[in-house]
Amino acid sequence: MKTLLAAKTAVENTTFSFDREFDYLVPDRLAADCAVGKRVLVPFGRGNRRRQGIVTELHCVEPDPKLKELISVLDCEPVLSQELLGIAKFMKERYFCTFYDAVKTMLPAGINYRLSTVYSVRAEDGGSILDDEKQRIYNYIYSKRKPVRLERLMDDFGLADSRLPDEMVRDGLLYKSEEAFRRVNDAVTKMAALAPNCDLSSQKLTPKQESAVELLQMVGAAPVKEIRYYTGVSAAVIDALVKKGVVNLFDEEVFRIDNREADENIGELVLSDEQQRACDNLLSEYRDENPHVSLLYGITGSGKTSVFMKLIERVMGDGKGIIVMVPEISLTPQFVALFTKRFGDRIAVFHSALSLGERLDEYKRVKKGLAQIVIGTRSAVFAPFENVGLIIMDEEQEYSYKSESSPRYHAREIAMYRCSRGGALLILSSATPSVETYYYARTGRYSLNVLKNRYGEARLPDVITADMNLEVQSGNTTGFSQVLLEQLEQNLEHGRQSILLLNRRGHNSFVTCTHCGDSVTCPNCSISLTYHIRNNRMMCHYCGYSAPFSGECPTCHSHSLRLGGTGTQKAERDVAEIFPNARILRMDTDAASSKASYERMISSFSNGEYDILVGTQMVAKGLDFPNVTLVGVLNTDHALYADDYRSYERAFSLLTQVVGRSGRGKEKGVAVIQSYTPDNLIIGMAARQDYEAFYETEIKMREMMLYPPFADICLVGFVGENQQLTLRAAARFLDIFVGMARSEHPNLPLRILGPSPALVVKVSNKFRYKLIIKCRNNREFRALLSGALLGFGEEKEFQRVTAYADMNALVC
C-alpha cells in the first residue's frame, strides 16, 4: 500500500491537557516547501478552525481518511533549528507549558503571525436589494480587489462587531476566512542594476539617463534613492530606464539597527595577574570537548567584565556563537557601547526595549551568521546560533532571569541545557552569587574562579550605617539622615556624583484616611494605590488602574486623605528642595519607558550632566560611573523584611551591589545605609562586602528549613474570578495530587503546604491561591505533577479556574 507524507505538528492555543503533536497530511503542492522547523497553517478541532503550528517531524503514514491536510506553509525557511526544537520539548516537559507556547517564547515578537478574519466578494454585483450600509461595505471590499481584514472594516465603517459582514456571508454575498499576517514585515530597499546582456550602444538615452547609467557602471548596483541623490535625477528617469530594458529593479533586505563601528584605536585589554589566571582557567574549560559550568566570583569592581571580554576575543576565532546575558535593560546600553568599541557590528542586541522591527532584524542577523555575539536580557538565551560555544550570565543571581509568565523558565537552566547538548562553557558571574550557585561551586558541581581585589587603583568604599530611629528622635523627618545630607553637600562642592537608591517608584507608596483609618486600595486588586505627583493620580502597579487624587476618601467621603511612604518621585523632589542648585536625574520605569530614554539617561549621567541620580534597583547593579563617590540607600528595611525565604539573600545582594557603585575611579568612595534596624547582621555583612560570612549563615538556615539547594520548591497556583470556587479548586487539586502520590509514587519524598492565599490575593479581579510542595525536581516528580494537572483539567466543575506549576518561583 502506498504511504503518504505527513507532518507532526505542534498547534497553538491548545490546553496543557490536550497538547501533543498532531499528524497532518502534506499535499503534493506543499511537499517541496514543507520542512521541520517551519510554521504551517492547519485546520484544527471539530470546526476546522485555522490555527498556526510548527512542524516537528516529517514521516510516512498509511492512508487514513481521518487525517486532515495542511492548508499552507507560512515560512520560506525554518524559523527553528533542531536544537531549538529540542529546547522547546525540554521546556514543555520541565515547565508544564504547551509546545507552541515554548516556540513563541523563543521567536522574536515581530516574526510571529496573527490570524485575522478577512472578507472578500462572492458575487459579481451586490444588486439593488442591499440596504445602504451593506452596499457601501460591498462596494468597499469589491474596490480593494483583495480580502479585507475585519479590523479594517470596523475602523472604516465604525462597526461595533462583525454582525453586518457576517449577515452578508450568510446571504451569499461575501466569503469569510482566516488568514495569517506577520506583525512586522521585513525591511527592504529598492535597488537598481544594469540589465545583463543589454547593448547600451543601441539605446538612445537622455543626458539624465546617461548619468544614472554611468553611476551603475561604476558601482554595479545601488539603492534607487542613492542614484537619485548622487545624480539629481527623478524617479521618472529610473522608470524610463526600466521600460527600455536598460535597468532592472529588485528588493534588497536591510536591517533596522543602530550603526555599530569598532574603535580602531582601542588598546589591547590588559589583565591583572588575578584576572589572567581566571581567564586561562576558563579558556582551558572551553577548550575541553565536554560541557562545563563555572562560577566567576569577584567583588564589585574586580573587573569580571574584562575577563570575559578577553575570553571572548580568544573564542571568536573558532566561529562559534557567544551569548552574553545581563539582568536589566538598563545595563544593556553600557554593555553594548563597551562591546561595540571592541567587536563592532559582530554583535547583536536582544531585549524587550527594542521595537518589533529591530528585534526581528537582530534575530535574522544572528540566524544568517552576520553577528557572532548576542548581548541581551533573558530572551538572549534563545539566540538562533547553529553552534554555541560560550554563554555568560552576568549578575547570575538576579531574579529577572526567571520568567513569571508561561513558560515559567529560568534562563540559567536553558543555558545549561544548551551547553550540555553542544559541549559549550557556561560562565555564571557575580559579586553576590545565588546561594544555590555558590553551594554547587563549593561542592564541586561547578568550577570556581575568584577575583578578590578591585581592578587598578579602585578601592572599596567606606560604609556608614545611619540609625533612622535616632534621626526621628532628633526631629529629622526628611527621610534623609544627617550624615547622608553632609556627604551629599560635600560631593556637590567637589564636583563629584552621587547615587540614591529607593526601591519604590511613584511619589507616595500609600494613601490613608485620617478620619476612618482606611487605606485607598485598587478596586481590582487587594493592594494599596500609589500616588504619582506628575499626573496627580493614584495608580495600581499591578493592573494599571488609576484615579485622580481629589482628597476625598472613597469610604467615608471626608476630605481627610494623607499621603504616606516615600517613592522615587518624592525623593527626587525632596532632594531638589534641600539642594536647589543640584542637577538631579530620576531613573525608574516611569521615567525610562523606552530603549532611547534608558540610553539617554545613562549617557547623560556618565557625561557629568547630572550630580545626583535617584532610582530604583536598576541603578544598583552593573553600572560603572568613575565619578560616583557616594551611594545612599534610603529604605533598607523594606528589602530586609519581605515575606519570602529569599529576602535576606536579595537584600544582601542589593546592598552589596549598590555599595559597589561607589569609588570605582581614583577617588575613594563612601556609602550610607539608612535603617531602623541598623544592627541587622545582613547590613553589617553587606557593608564589609563579606559574602562568605553571609553564605555560611544562610546555608545553615536553608539546610535546617529544607530550602534550595537542599530541596526544590514547586508552587502550584490557582487563578479564578470566583473566590470560593478557586479555593475549592486548590483543595481538589491537593486531593488528586496526594492520591496519585500515594498510589503511584509512594517512595517520593514530599512536603506539602496549603492551600493558602497568594501574597496579593486579588489581581485584576481574579483571586489567587497556592500550594507549596517541597520536592526534588526529578523526572518522577514531574511525571506526578503533570499527571495531577491533567487529572485536574478533566474536572468540569473547575473549568473556569486556571492551574499552573512554577518550579522555584520568585515569591512563594
Side-chain angles (χ1 to χ4, degrees), residues 151 159 311 317 330 335 405 450 462 466 509 524 548 622 665 742 805:
E151 305 95 275
L159 302 178
L311 181 64
S330 59
F335 252 72
S405 58
V450 181
D462 294 328
S509 54
N524 309 317
R742 285 174 174 166

Side-chain angles (χ1 to χ4, degrees), residues 513-575:
C513 177
T514 58
H515 185 263
C516 68
D518 281 358
S519 60
V520 182
T521 59
C522 174
N524 309 317
C525 311
S526 54
I527 199 75
S528 297
L529 294 178
T530 299
Y531 174 66
H532 287 245
I533 196 171
R534 293 296 174 91
N535 56 6
N536 193 38
R537 297 184 74 85
M538 300 177 292
M539 302 178 67
C540 175
H541 290 172
Y542 278 79
C543 71
Y545 169 84
S546 73
F549 180 76
S550 63
E552 181 181 324
C553 173
T555 303
C556 68
H557 303 290
S558 65
H559 285 74
S560 307
L561 291 183
R562 180 181 68 87
L563 301 174
T566 298
T568 48
Q569 290 181 2
K570 185 174 188 299
E572 176 191 23
R573 191 177 73 166
D574 291 347
V575 173

Side-chain angles (χ1 to χ4, degrees), residues 448-667:
L448 177 62
N449 291 281
V450 181
L451 302 178
K452 297 181 178 179
N453 303 297
R454 277 200 158 187
Y455 182 75
E457 300 177 10
R459 294 167 290 169
L460 287 172
D462 294 328
V463 180
I464 303 168
T465 304
D467 187 342
M468 296 306 290
N469 296 296
L470 299 178
E471 296 291 330
V472 173
Q473 290 171 16
S474 65
N476 180 3
T477 58
T478 63
F480 302 94
S481 61
Q482 192 60 40
V483 65
L484 178 58
L485 294 175
E486 291 171 0
Q487 292 291 335
L488 281 169
E489 186 172 14
Q490 186 176 337
N491 251 26
L492 290 169
E493 290 176 357
H494 289 85
R496 297 171 189 158
Q497 292 175 299
S498 308
I499 293 177
L500 299 179
L501 170 69
L502 178 58
N503 207 18
R504 282 190 171 181
R505 61 190 178 98
H507 191 273
N508 296 93
S509 54
F510 59 88
V511 183
T512 56
C513 177
T514 58
H515 185 263
C516 68
D518 281 358
S519 60
V520 182
T521 59
C522 174
N524 309 317
C525 311
S526 54
I527 199 75
S528 297
L529 294 178
T530 299
Y531 174 66
H532 287 245
I533 196 171
R534 293 296 174 91
N535 56 6
N536 193 38
R537 297 184 74 85
M538 300 177 292
M539 302 178 67
C540 175
H541 290 172
Y542 278 79
C543 71
Y545 169 84
S546 73
F549 180 76
S550 63
E552 181 181 324
C553 173
T555 303
C556 68
H557 303 290
S558 65
H559 285 74
S560 307
L561 291 183
R562 180 181 68 87
L563 301 174
T566 298
T568 48
Q569 290 181 2
K570 185 174 188 299
E572 176 191 23
R573 191 177 73 166
D574 291 347
V575 173
E577 290 177 355
I578 298 170
F579 302 106
N581 296 322
R583 298 168 301 171
I584 303 167
L585 174 66
R586 175 171 57 86
M587 196 162 94
D588 53 27
T589 52
D590 294 318
S593 56
S594 67
K595 178 193 70 166
S597 57
Y598 276 115
E599 294 178 357
R600 185 174 59 252
M601 288 179 172
I602 290 172
S603 177
S604 298
F605 189 71
S606 182
N607 293 335
E609 297 174 25
Y610 293 93
D611 304 308
I612 301 172
L613 173 62
V614 180
T616 53
Q617 64 180 14
M618 64 173 61
V619 306
K621 297 157 288 191
L623 301 175
D624 189 358
F625 302 116
N627 196 36
V628 170
T629 57
L630 173 63
V631 164
V633 184
L634 301 185
N635 189 353
T636 307
D637 303 313
H638 175 68
L640 277 171
Y641 303 111
D643 187 17
D644 187 69
Y645 76 91
R646 292 191 186 92
S647 60
Y648 273 8
E649 178 182 21
R650 290 175 178 164
F652 175 85
S653 177
L654 184 63
L655 291 175
T656 303
Q657 294 283 352
V658 75
V659 165
R661 297 312 106 203
S662 179
R664 298 174 75 90
K666 294 181 180 180
E667 300 292 335

Side-chain angles (χ1 to χ4, degrees), residues 21 66 180 216 386 413 429 478 525 810:
E21 293 163 80
K66 294 181 181 179
L216 288 174
E386 289 295 328
E413 294 175 353
S429 172
T478 63
C525 311
L810 294 179

Side-chain angles (χ1 to χ4, degrees), residues 40-339:
V40 292
L41 205 59
V42 300
F44 190 77
R46 292 180 180 175
N48 287 327
R49 291 291 299 266
R50 294 187 177 196
R51 291 194 187 178
Q52 292 178 69
I54 189 162
V55 178
T56 60
E57 182 185 337
L58 291 174
H59 64 121
C60 292
V61 296
E62 299 291 336
D64 185 345
K66 294 181 181 179
L67 289 181
K68 302 174 183 178
E69 286 190 350
L70 297 180
I71 296 171
S72 63
V73 177
L74 299 177
D75 298 307
C76 296
E77 59 184 38
V79 291
L80 292 184
S81 63
Q82 287 285 4
E83 183 205 7
L84 291 175
L85 284 172
I87 292 175
K89 292 179 180 178
F90 169 80
M91 293 172 69
K92 170 180 166 58
E93 187 267 340
R94 195 172 186 89
Y95 304 117
F96 310 100
C97 64
T98 68
F99 193 105
Y100 206 86
D101 280 344
V103 168
K104 286 197 294 186
T105 300
M106 289 189 279
L107 295 175
I111 205 172
N112 286 329
Y113 282 91
R114 182 167 59 89
L115 292 181
S116 290
T117 300
V118 296
Y119 296 89
S120 55
V121 296
R122 187 168 194 150
E124 285 299 320
D125 187 358
S128 58
I129 57 171
L130 300 181
D131 60 37
D132 290 345
E133 186 71 3
K134 288 182 179 180
Q135 187 68 56
R136 285 198 299 270
I137 292 174
Y138 181 89
N139 293 342
Y140 176 85
I141 298 174
Y142 184 82
S143 68
K144 294 297 182 183
R145 302 292 179 180
K146 62 180 182 180
V148 178
R149 296 191 207 183
L150 172 62
E151 305 95 275
R152 184 72 181 270
L153 283 177
M154 293 174 69
D155 287 343
D156 290 352
F157 287 88
L159 302 178
D161 51 37
S162 63
R163 181 178 55 82
L164 272 179
D166 285 347
E167 285 181 8
M168 296 173 70
V169 171
R170 288 193 294 271
D171 293 339
L173 298 169
L174 299 179
Y175 285 111
K176 177 181 179 181
S177 62
E178 287 183 307
E179 292 187 7
F181 296 91
R182 274 262 297 273
R183 295 186 66 183
V184 178
N185 292 321
D186 297 327
V188 295
T189 187
K190 187 68 70 178
M191 300 287 291
L194 292 177
N197 305 320
C198 176
D199 184 6
L200 291 175
S201 62
S202 65
Q203 297 285 344
K204 291 184 179 181
L205 304 179
T206 67
K208 288 185 177 181
Q209 291 173 348
E210 285 180 350
S211 64
V213 169
E214 287 173 1
L215 178 62
L216 288 174
Q217 285 176 321
M218 286 189 292
V219 300
V224 171
K225 285 184 178 180
E226 290 189 11
I227 296 173
R228 294 177 58 192
Y229 176 78
Y230 285 110
T231 62
V233 303
S234 65
V237 173
I238 306 297
D239 291 340
L241 287 171
V242 172
K243 290 179 181 178
K244 290 181 177 182
V246 175
V247 168
N248 288 341
L249 298 180
F250 60 95
D251 290 332
E252 184 172 279
E253 188 174 19
V254 295
F255 296 115
R256 292 156 284 203
I257 62 170
D258 297 329
N259 185 36
R260 298 180 187 135
E261 292 185 6
D263 184 352
E264 296 180 357
N265 299 318
I266 194 169
E268 184 179 353
L269 270 171
V270 179
L271 303 182
S272 67
D273 292 342
E274 187 179 49
Q275 290 173 316
Q276 191 63 55
R277 281 194 299 274
C279 185
D280 291 341
N281 291 340
L282 293 169
L283 184 62
S284 65
E285 291 190 75
Y286 163 76
R287 296 291 185 206
D288 187 10
E289 61 183 14
N290 295 314
H292 290 274
V293 180
S294 182
L295 171 61
L296 180 60
Y297 162 51
I299 63 170
T300 55
S302 58
K304 296 182 288 296
T305 303
S306 297
V307 172
F308 27 90
M309 288 190 75
K310 191 72 172 180
L311 181 64
I312 288 170
E313 285 184 346
R314 298 190 181 185
V315 170
M316 287 191 72
D318 295 338
K320 294 184 177 181
I322 299 161
I323 299 172
V324 183
M325 286 185 281
V326 293
E328 297 274 359
I329 294 173
S330 59
L331 304 185
T332 312
Q334 276 202 336
F335 252 72
V336 171
L338 196 62
F339 275 72

